[in-house]
């Protein structure tokens, strides 16, 4: 019913950049907060960044502050995560999610299938 499709993952060198995109089929995209989560092997899913429904408030995990930037384009029903200065510890599957503006997984109702990001040293 509601589809979120991530793209832009892949392999990058440490210090390099990637840009993730999430295209949403939700009817009222502008009414949802959007978030990016990531999950590394053996670890719990964690919130990387989020943006509220109006785009005027953002959140970043301490580990990515100053390196990652979230943005949304409601006209395109798309949310982006620009990732700069990548580190090997950024390696994970990244998931796009839609829901309410919050800090954990329970705040989000719809999820994408994930895209792999691998950063080599």
């Amino acid at each position: 019913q509601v589809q979120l499709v991530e793209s832009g993952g892949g392999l990058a060198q440490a210090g390099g950049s990637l840009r993730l995109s999430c295209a949403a089929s939700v009817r009222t995209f502008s009414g949802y907060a959007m978030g990016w989560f990531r999950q590394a092997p053996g670890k719990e899913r964690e919130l990387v960044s989020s943006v509220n429904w109006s785009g005027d408030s953002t959140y970043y995990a301490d580990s990515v502050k100053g390196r990652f930037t979230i943005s949304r384009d409601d006209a395109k029903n798309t949310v982006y995560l620009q990732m700069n200065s990548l580190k090997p510890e950024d390696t994970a599957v990244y998931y796009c999610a839609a829901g309410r503006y919050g800090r954990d997984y329970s705040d989000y109702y719809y999820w994408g299938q994930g895209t792999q990001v691998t950063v080599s040293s």
Side-chain angles (χ1 to χ4, degrees), residues 23-105:
S25 66
V26 60
R27 180 174 295 178
T28 311
F29 178 80
S30 62
Y32 290 90
M34 300 296 296
W36 286 98
F37 288 75
R38 67 185 181 188
Q39 187 167 23
K43 297 184 178 180
E44 294 187 349
R45 191 170 300 187
E46 64 173 345
L47 178 64
V48 176
S49 184
S50 60
V51 58
N52 73 341
W53 69 272
S54 62
D56 61 1
S57 184
T58 57
Y59 165 84
Y60 297 95
D62 288 342
S63 59
V64 306
K65 285 182 179 178
R67 300 189 297 120
F68 291 8
T69 303
I70 191 170
S71 61
R72 65 187 298 160
D73 187 339
D74 290 350
K76 297 181 179 179
N77 281 11
T78 302
V79 63
Y80 305 93
L81 186 68
Q82 178 67 45
M83 305 186 295
N84 297 327
S85 301
L86 284 164
K87 303 176 180 179
E89 50 263 45
D90 295 319
T91 296
V93 177
Y94 284 70
Y95 297 89
C96 177
R100 68 179 298 274
Y101 191 56
R103 64 179 182 175
D104 56 47
Y105 68 89

Side-chain angles (χ1 to χ4, degrees), residues 6-30:
E6 303 96 336
S7 62
L11 179 65
Q13 300 282 345
S17 298
L18 288 172
R19 183 175 64 185
L20 306 183
S21 299
C22 174
S25 66
V26 60
R27 180 174 295 178
T28 311
F29 178 80
S30 62

